[in-house]
Amino acid sequence: NPELKKHTFEAEVAQLLHLVTHSLYSNADIFVRELVSNASDACDKLRFEATNDDSLYEDDGELKIRIAVDEDAKTITFTDNGIGMNETDAIENLGTIAKSGTKAFLDKLSESQKQDGQLIGQFGVGFYSGFIVADTISVESRKAGEPADKGVRWVSDGTGSFTVEPITKDTRGTAITLHLKEEYSEGEDNYLDRSKIKRLVNKYSDHISLPIQMRKEIWQEDVVDDENDDTPTGGEMVLTDEWETINKASALWTRSSSEIDDDEYVDFYKNITYDMDAPLTWTHNRVEGRVQYTQLLYIPKKAPMDLYTREQQHGLKLYVKRVFIMDDAEQLLPMYLRFVKGVIDSADLPLNVSRELLQESRDVKSIRDGNARRILTLLASLANSEDSDKQEKFAQFYAEFGDVIKEGLGEDAGNKERIAKLLRYATSTQDGLETSFEDYKARMKEGQKAIYYLTADNLAAAKNSPQLELFKKKGIEVILMTSRVDEWAMNFLTSFDETPLQNIAKGAVDLGDLQDEAEKAEAEKAEETLKPVVDKLKTALGERAKDVKVSTRLVDSPACLVVGEGELSPQMIQMLQQMGQ
Ligand code: ADP
Ligand code: MG
């Protein structure tokens, strides 16, 4: 064909393809999920476009996905009547990596040298996963609303290049044909086995809200009756021309939670997240109020590797009346809950809602507040539970995400109290990350008027801090905060349940009633006798110290550095430097 054009893959695609074919063989199954999800996305896109232009349906409004196996040709074909692609689309979408996340992921991979399937599987390689099992993939497509002769055929063997050529295709949408490699068309990993494909669709794609169809098979008894053979009459499965729907095609979140079992919730989670692990916990509710919506929110077991990078994709999947609108709708959650995954289905938002519109919408703000409250309530119920399983879950949660929710003290003033109740620390008397402000208060000494805390780089440094000496001597417990965000976060929390919080490394420490009269008198006397020493130190240090004072806070150490009230501590300065400020 003179119109056949050869293109080379973008460098990143070639790199990804190499990884896919060399590292993903243990995750071969995922290509089914990926291709079905692309077909479903394509149908969602069409439905979305068609809300403004009905003619795009071209009298074929029943969106569906079909999977056909051809044993002789050793192919499996995924067909959809979704939005379709023209030549430009195919070159762009199947020849380059548009997603910035994919690039970041590739960098991570080469950095860590941990090119195992688990990691890659978590991430999802989309269309290219087809090359795990296929040595050639051929895509035939025609875009909705364009003439039949504007179709395209895209073919590649998944190494350096692909070809495109124009074709005539009467039906709108895309057909993707995988020519299976030898090892995937026989034996245990035989994807020509229809029941295997069915199982995979049920496992991964049950919630897809479109019918996924395969040819119907029927059992046909042997008609030939051999008189000399007395073994029972056999038979075989025979393919018919009829198509049958093999998935439940019901969006899980639209069902009532009492009818959904845990396995279904877990499968759905894996389905929408690429996480191989089950989630830690979830909450599923129909919210009725000023805004009506369904929320299905999951907390993962493990933090993603990019939790702290700026480009991190976060947010929830947004549907409007079961029509998919967008992935990663970040407006639906505050930043400090960016690890939460799930689905929001709203009855009130317009179908053509854009990210910009979401930002301004009062309804969206109300959904976001509702989601934040729900997650905080869920976490509180784990934290306060008598059930050891739930306590264990909370500890697991806290180890992974404790630092992230601390950001909420600054971000979400309205929920500050709720967040503060979830925080857990080590203290001068308890090593584990398990003391809450409530626990601390319950153990406070008679006459103690503040919650004392200290920030440091790590537990050992905190425990050896000279600032602790006086507190140790007096038997006063001090909370030891050792995470990077603590000091910043504590700027936003000055009291807990009406008890002031005091950083013992900052300004003057007032022990109030815990300091007796004799000590006070002694301190005053010391101040007088030491005045010449202090003056000498002041002159010697000059500009480098703001002030030099006689203090009662030390027991064994001769001197310590103190940060003035409202000033940045060394840890804080270090953190800001690390963040590039
Ligand atoms: P993603 O789905 O995350 O965008 P994929 O690698 O799975 O990434 O797919 C790449 C792109 O190829 C899609 O974004 C889409 O534009 C296009 N594409 C893939 N499959 C289809 C399809 N069945 N119909 C239309 N476009 C498709
Ligand atoms: Mg995809």
Side-chain angles (χ1 to χ4, degrees), residues 16 34-43 45 78-85 89-90 92-99 102 124-129 139-141 173-176 274 327:
L16 186 64
E34 296 296 337
L35 297 186
V36 167
S37 111
N38 283 351
S40 160
D41 289 349
C43 291
K45 279 181 204 156
F78 295 76
T79 308
D80 66 70
N81 54 355
I83 190 81
M85 288 179 276
D89 294 337
E92 172 71 15
N93 299 338
L94 306 178
T96 61
I97 295 180
K99 292 168 289 182
T102 312
V125 286
F127 170 75
Y128 302 112
S129 62
V139 179
E140 297 195 343
S141 193
T174 306
I176 298 183
Y274 296 124
D327 275 314

Side-chain angles (χ1 to χ4, degrees), residues 21 31 83 135 161 207 347 358 418 486 551 561:
T21 43
F31 81 91
I83 190 81
D135 46 30
S161 63
H207 79 282
L358 280 186
R418 289 164 190 268
D486 280 326
S551 160
L561 293 171

Side-chain angles (χ1 to χ4, degrees), residues 2 298 425 456 563:
Y298 291 94
Y425 302 99
V563 180

Side-chain angles (χ1 to χ4, degrees), residues 517-530:
E517 288 306 313
E519 278 175 335
K520 271 189 198 154
E522 204 182 312
E524 273 160 35
K525 217 178 100 201
E527 203 153 329
E528 230 165 88
T529 44
L530 291 173

